[in-house]
């Protein structure tokens, strides 16, 4: 079974802070990590390979340092990694990114299953997976909380409203996964050493035969006009009485006054 | 367009370097240089003390005659015989955009036996409803809905489309946008019309909610965006209002659909329907032990509220993921949100800050949640919760 | 002279750090409180390959260097010093001598499972009457046809009772003194090989320390490690390398204590400001940082020498001596920074202080280290 996992290297946005004086983002000292949802997708791929055999390849579009993220996936046990990197890809929005990735996946040969994380924790758009599926003419199932493969059929429990939809589809199919589907394994020492020794191939825009009008900034319909720090809600009232009982009583009184209850 | 640092003006102060959210500025030979990580966000422009950084316009390939595209559309998501709240919320907002543009507002209704829902769509302000019906649309299906939607877009050419950012909306939106090759902005929290260009200005959080971005889709049509439920309020409905119903034939055959729905597993009891709830009581790490969630649920029961959980509580296995509120969980906007033992990380706030009233209980007076709470009790949540539950019980009994 | 870690070493450090933060840190207080060693946790750690880092692939290892392994020991020690010593005793004290002195069969049979993490090891040298005076071995091994019969006991053995593979030193010829000691590989479960009392210790309580008892244990000659009479040399050279592991453990403990102190001193407010604003505290932290850094550099340098195949005995002794003394000072100061809370079991630093003490004692007391260094300097 041929599995391809799309992976993105992202800044750890849970560590990002705002400079209180300048009101700007402090990106220094924020580590770059494998997007947590993508790591989970790699784990799902490895589990399926363990059950059904086959090959797990990971692909990422990014600057040269994104190969560190790919190395981590190799250290977890992925068979091969490919980095697509080119100045021409820079400034890509989700449409251009999906085009670059799908064009690359076409060059990788026939694929049975494409796995993506639900969303990247920097962009939070959840758009690239479906974009790739569209470009490759593949069906898609998003928000997979459970996946089962029987022969050529994929069965997915899809998170929906207040429960799950059980969906079925014949491969090839693109699936995006949510957190609860799997816990990513730790990379092993051997896996790490092997990953470090591996020369990860880098494909440029020319290598993948990309239409230069559809990649990078030229291929991005959306543009950022400006960035600003969010205005905070103004702080309300803090209640800290002697006893919890008194605090609660005061709250009830304030709520009543404000006609909230 | 590119962002360029004028090397002569640059004084090498490197004030721009840490401000770039994407690490796209390097110092080379004492001057700032933009590298390929640049996304043109412009965060560096205002920071430069000598105004050495500027935006350079480049030729864009114009692929379509944008003047043909008119009107604002709202995707009317429906399920179980009901229109989802987010559809109405977007009609309300869509109406404002359409009025500013002086153009039409239309609802897109795709389903099976859903024609009678058109009247409430008109009631919320739509001038038109495009209707595509058939058994193939009985339940949301990516392929079927995408074909129908794209068909409508190609026939009727809207300038802008709003889709609710529900699981289905976030499944459909990017598929449609990719097929039509246009721009889609996800999870917008604010929409407006840029007066100069008459483009929709999409405002959305980025970097896990740490910053906000204003986005435009200048050259491609339709301009598309998704909006989370409860970000906007449902508009007042005028049931006397009517509009034009445009029925369009379905191009989809049910047997051609590759993804099949086998069954639906309803896991949540009413207390996890967070997106529709008027009151939510949420618990976080401050509860200390999973057993203590019972106190949260007791209060929720008395208030008839849904139960939410922070990412920390879900990661610790105290509550299933379907209860998670936050950047990577559900976004909610109830009338009252009570945060119990939740510190208030930005990612959590991103999921609930559009609530009308926020009440927080936390023993740390410096917890970030208090900065956004309208009312905050500093105290031990395990002490406060039962007392609060008792008070609300008394209050309810007194009201009867 | 390069002071940077290479890619392999950085990734090894990251693997150990991630594992320590995500898996080991949880429950360390409980393991310390209940004096219980967790074999499942050791298995998970060794399952990642941390026990095989510096052994060749042909024996189940990862072909990495000693420094990478030392980095792993340091990272694990930050979270749980007891788990770290379970690892370093298995790797440095049991697996290494088999690697250095074992026959090909012994390496495949014993080194492989230790490196792959499926088995644990011990180093049985210390006896009730033979501590620093290791040459006074009273455990005897008498040749009987193609077996040695071993009688005696060992105390204070790390991993004793849990480890499947045990290196045991015994006197084969009393008349030869130090040259009459031979090393043997004993397997748990061999008839006559039992375990005595479990030690109740001041610190590293999540590590199991037990007495090994030998009553007419018949060990085939094929399980003799090295040559007859070579035992003392094996013991001493093994301890040389083991010292680097102890130094790394001490560095990890001290680093954790220092980080906890820095964090606390910024949060604890007295007289309207954090206590870190006082020089009394900031000076303590400055001293901690200097000691930890110096200990670390001595440790890495010793590991680098071993990797380069150069003599490292003196440098390893220096590292162990300085790092363990520093760890003791740093942890005592850490408790001081925490004040009354530092003395309470609800805060981590008192455990770190209790853990640090053993580093000054085992694998050669710091007095022995001074003998080694002095001896090397005054040759």
């Amino acid at each position: 079974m041929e599995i391809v996992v799309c992976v993105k290297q992202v800044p750890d946005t849970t560590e990002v802070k705002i400079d209180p004086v300048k009101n700007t983002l402090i990106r220094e000292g924020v580590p770059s990590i494998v997007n947590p949802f993508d790591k989970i997708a790699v784990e799902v791929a490895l589990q399926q390979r363990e059950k059904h055999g086959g090959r797990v390849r990971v692909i990422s579009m990014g600057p040269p340092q994104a190969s560190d993220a790919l190395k981590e996936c190799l250290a977890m046990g992925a068979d091969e990694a490919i980095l697509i990197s080119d100045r021409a890809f820079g400034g890509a929005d989700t449409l251009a990114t999906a085009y670059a990735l799908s064009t690359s996946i076409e060059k990788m040969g026939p694929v049975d299953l494409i796995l993506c994380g639900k969303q990247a924790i920097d962009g939070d758009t959840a758009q690239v997976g479906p974009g790739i599926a569209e470009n490759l003419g593949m069906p898609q199932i998003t928000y997979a909380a459970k996946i089962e493969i029987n022969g050529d059929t994929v069965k997915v429990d899809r998170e929906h409203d207040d429960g799950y939809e059980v969906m079925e589809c014949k491969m090839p199919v693109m699936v995006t996964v949510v957190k609860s589907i799997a816990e990513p394994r730790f990379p092993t020492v051997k896996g790490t050493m092997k990953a470090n020794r591996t020369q990860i191939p880098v494909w440029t825009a020319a290598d993948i035969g990309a239409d230069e009008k559809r990649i990078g900034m030229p291929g991005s319909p959306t543009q950022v006009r400006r960035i600003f720090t969010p205005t905070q809600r103004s702080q309300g009232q803090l209640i800290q009485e002697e006893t919890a009982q008194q605090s609660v009583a005061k709250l009830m009184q304030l709520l009543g006054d404000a006609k909230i209850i | 367009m590119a962002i360029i640092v004028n090397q002569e003006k640059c004084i090498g102060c490197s004030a721009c370097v840490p401000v770039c959210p994407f690490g796209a500025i390097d110092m080379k030979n004492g001057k700032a240089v933009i590298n390929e990580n640049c996304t043109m966000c412009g965060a560096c422009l205002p920071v430069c003390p000598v105004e050495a950084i500027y935006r350079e316009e480049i030729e864009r390939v114009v692929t379509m005659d944008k003047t043909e595209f008119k009107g604002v559309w709202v995707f009317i998501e429906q399920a179980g015989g009901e229109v989802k709240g987010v559809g109405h919320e977007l009609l309300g907002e869509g109406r404002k955009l359409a009025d500013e543009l002086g153009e039409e507002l239309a609802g897109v209704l795709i389903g099976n036996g859903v024609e009678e829902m058109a009247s409430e769509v008109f009631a919320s302000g739509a001038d038109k409803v495009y209707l595509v019906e058939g058994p193939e649309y009985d339940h949301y299906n990516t392929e079927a809905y995408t074909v129908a939607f794209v068909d409508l877009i190609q026939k009727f050419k809207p300038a802008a489309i709003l889709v609710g950012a529900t699981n289905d909306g976030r499944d459909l939106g990017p598929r449609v946008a990719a097929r039509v090759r246009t721009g889609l902005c996800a999870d917008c929290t604010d929409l407006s019309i840029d007066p100069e260009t008459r483009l929709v200005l999409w405002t959305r959080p980025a970097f896990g909610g740490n910053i906000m971005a204003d986005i435009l889709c200048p050259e491609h049509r339709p301009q598309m965006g998704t909006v989370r439920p409860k970000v906007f309020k449902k508009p007042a409905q005028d049931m006397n209002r009517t509009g034009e119903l445009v029925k369009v034939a379905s191009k989809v055959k049910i047997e051609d659909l590759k993804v099949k729905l086998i069954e639906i597993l309803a896991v949540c009891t009413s207390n996890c329907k967070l997106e529709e709830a008027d009151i939510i009581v949420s618990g976080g790490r401050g509860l200390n032990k999973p057993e203590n969630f019972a106190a949260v649920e007791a209060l929720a029961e008395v208030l008839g509220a849904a139960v939410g959980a922070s990412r920390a509580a879900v990661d610790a296995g105290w509550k299933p993921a379907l209860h998670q509120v936050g950047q990577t969980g559900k976004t909610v906007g109830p009338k009252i949100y009570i945060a119990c033992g939740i510190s208030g990380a930005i990612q959590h706030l991103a999921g609930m800050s559009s609530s009308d009233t926020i009440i927080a209980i936390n023993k740390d007076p410096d917890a970030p949640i208090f900065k956004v709470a309208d009312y905050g009790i500093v105290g031990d949540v395990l002490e406060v919760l039962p007392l609060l539950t008792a008070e609300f019980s008394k209050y309810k009994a007194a009201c009867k | 002279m390069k002071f940077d870690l290479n890619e392999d070493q950085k990734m090894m450090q990251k693997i150990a750090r991630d594992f320590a933060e995500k898996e080991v840190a949880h429950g360390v207080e409980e393991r310390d409180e209940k004096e219980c060693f967790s074999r499942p946790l050791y298995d998970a750690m060794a399952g990642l390959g941390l026990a095989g880092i510096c052994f060749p692939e042909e024996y189940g290892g990862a072909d990495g260097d000693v420094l990478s392994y030392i980095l792993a020991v340091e990272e694990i020690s930050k979270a749980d010093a007891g788990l770290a010593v379970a690892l370093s005793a298995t790797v440095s004290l049991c697996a290494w001598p088999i690697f250095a002195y074992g026959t090909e069969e012994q390496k495949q049979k014993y080194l492989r499972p230790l490196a792959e993490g499926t088995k644990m090891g011990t180093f049985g040298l210390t006896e009730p009457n033979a501590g620093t005076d290791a040459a006074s071995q009273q455990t005897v091994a008498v040749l009987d046809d193609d077996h040695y019969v071993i009688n005696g006991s060992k105390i204070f053995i790390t991993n004793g009772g849990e480890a499947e593979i045990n290196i045991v030193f015994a006197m084969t010829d009393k008349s030869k003194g130090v040259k009459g000691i031979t090393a043997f590989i004993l397997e748990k479960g061999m008839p006559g090989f039992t375990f005595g009392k479990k030690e109740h210790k001041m610190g590293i309580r999540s590590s199991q320390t037990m007495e090994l008892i030998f009553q007419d244990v018949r060990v085939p000659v094929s399980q003799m490690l090295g040559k007859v009479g070579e035992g003392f040399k094996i013991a001493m050279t093994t301890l040389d390398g083991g010292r680097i592991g102890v130094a790394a453990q001490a560095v990890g403990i001290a680093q954790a204590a220092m980080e906890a102190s820095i964090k606390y001193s910024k949060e604890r407010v007295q007289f309207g400001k954090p206590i870190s604003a006082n020089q009394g505290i900031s000076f303590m932290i400055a001293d901690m940082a200097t000691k930890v850094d110096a200990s670390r550099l001595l440790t890495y340098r010793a590991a680098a020498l071993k990797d380069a195949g150069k003599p490292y005995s003196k440098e390893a002794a220096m590292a162990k001596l300085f790092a363990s003394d520093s760890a003791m000072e740093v942890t005592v100061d850490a408790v001081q920074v925490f004040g009354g809370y530092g003395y309470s079991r609800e805060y981590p630093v008192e455990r770190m202080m209790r853990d640090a003490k053993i580093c000054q004692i085992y694998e050669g007391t710091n007095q022995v280290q001074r003998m080694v260094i002095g001896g090397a300097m005054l040759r």
Side-chain angles (χ1 to χ4, degrees), chain A residues 32-34 39 68 71-73 75 183-197, chain C residues 7-9 11-12 14-15 18-19 22-23 47-50 53 57 60-65 116:
Chain A
S32 289
I33 57 174
V34 176
K39 220 167 167 181
D68 288 342
K71 284 214 166 116
E72 218 180 300
C73 300
E183 182 75 46
R185 62 191 64 180
F186 286 97
T188 62
V189 167
K190 284 199 188 156
T192 303
M193 316 240 346
K194 183 164 162 235
N196 276 344
R197 309 241 175 304
Chain C
E7 286 308 312
D8 280 348
Q9 289 157 353
M11 275 189 96
M12 217 60 68
K14 182 170 191 297
I15 291 181
D18 283 349
F19 181 77
K22 292 194 183 117
E23 300 289 325
L48 295 180
L50 295 188
I53 295 178
E57 264 193 66
D63 259 332
D65 56 16
E116 283 169 353

Side-chain angles (χ1 to χ4, degrees), chain A residues 4-6 37-38 40-41 44 113-120 125-133 139-147 154 156-159 173-179 181, chain B residues 167 170-171 174:
Chain A
V4 170
V5 187
C6 300
F37 293 103
D38 298 346
I40 291 169
V44 172
L113 177 64
I114 299 181
L115 288 167
C116 301
K118 167 170 95 159
Q119 63 198 60
T125 63
Q127 283 168 206
V128 172
I132 292 173
Q140 72 190 42
I141 305 179
T142 54
Y143 299 97
K146 189 165 145 200
I147 188 170
V154 174
V156 167
D157 282 10
R158 176 174 184 252
E159 250 181 23
V173 64
M174 193 284 307
V175 176
T176 75
V177 300
V178 298
K179 196 174 212 181
I181 194 173
Chain B
N167 279 15
R170 292 174 108 223
D171 181 287

Side-chain angles (χ1 to χ4, degrees), chain A residues 224-244:
Chain A
V224 177
R225 161 67 92 65
R226 77 174 175 127
I227 290 225
F228 56 97
T229 41
T231 45
Q232 303 283 36
R233 277 168 81 112
S234 48
Q235 181 154 356
Q237 293 198 279
L238 221 53
I239 305 167
Q240 193 170 9
E241 306 291 310
E242 285 266 329
T243 66

Side-chain angles (χ1 to χ4, degrees), chain C residues 243 313-322 366-379:
Chain C
R243 266 155 214 167
S313 177
K314 177 184 77 172
E315 290 78 3
M318 284 174 160
K320 194 266 200 197
L321 169 63
F322 190 83
N366 281 5
Q367 285 65 35
V368 167
Q369 306 306 323
R370 288 179 169 91
M371 282 159 58
V372 169
I373 301 167
M377 294 307 294
L378 293 169
R379 265 204 267 278

Side-chain angles (χ1 to χ4, degrees), chain B residues 26-74:
Chain B
D26 302 314
M27 295 308 290
K28 288 205 172 108
N29 298 323
K31 302 268 184 182
V33 173
I34 311 283
N35 68 38
E36 65 206 21
N37 288 344
C38 176
T39 64
M40 301 277 306
C41 75
C44 54
L45 267 69
V47 167
C48 177
V50 296
E51 290 180 354
I53 312 183
Y54 64 97
R55 265 209 178 89
E56 180 201 56
E57 302 284 332
I58 59 173
E59 274 302 312
R60 259 182 185 268
V61 180
V62 177
T63 50
M64 51 185 79
D65 180 4
K66 300 184 288 289
T67 58
E68 289 188 335
F69 290 78
K70 286 196 192 330
V72 176
W73 287 9
V74 172

Side-chain angles (χ1 to χ4, degrees), chain C residues 278-300:
Chain C
N278 300 296
Q279 280 184 333
I281 299 291
S282 69
F283 281 9
M284 265 191 214
I285 290 182
D287 287 342
M288 284 183 192
T290 311
K291 282 172 192 161
V292 170
D293 224 21
S295 307
R296 180 174 288 125
L297 287 168
L298 279 170
T299 307
Y300 291 3

Side-chain angles (χ1 to χ4, degrees), chain B residues 256-299:
Chain B
D256 290 341
L257 299 177
K258 297 203 188 86
V259 178
K260 303 199 191 315
L261 175 67
I262 307 293
E263 64 174 313
I264 297 186
L265 304 172
V267 164
C268 273
T269 50
S270 64
N271 82 359
C272 96
K273 289 191 197 297
L274 296 168
E275 272 133 340
E276 306 293 314
D278 278 336
I279 309 179
I280 297 178
V281 187
S282 247
R285 256 281 165 75
L287 291 169
N288 267 341
K289 286 189 225 155
E291 298 83 74
N292 295 335
F293 238 96
V296 169
E297 290 175 26
L299 179 57

Side-chain angles (χ1 to χ4, degrees), chain A residues 74-88:
Chain A
L74 287 174
M76 280 170 75
D79 297 295
E80 283 168 41
I82 296 168
L83 174 67
I84 60 169
S85 186
D86 196 317
R87 284 207 82 112

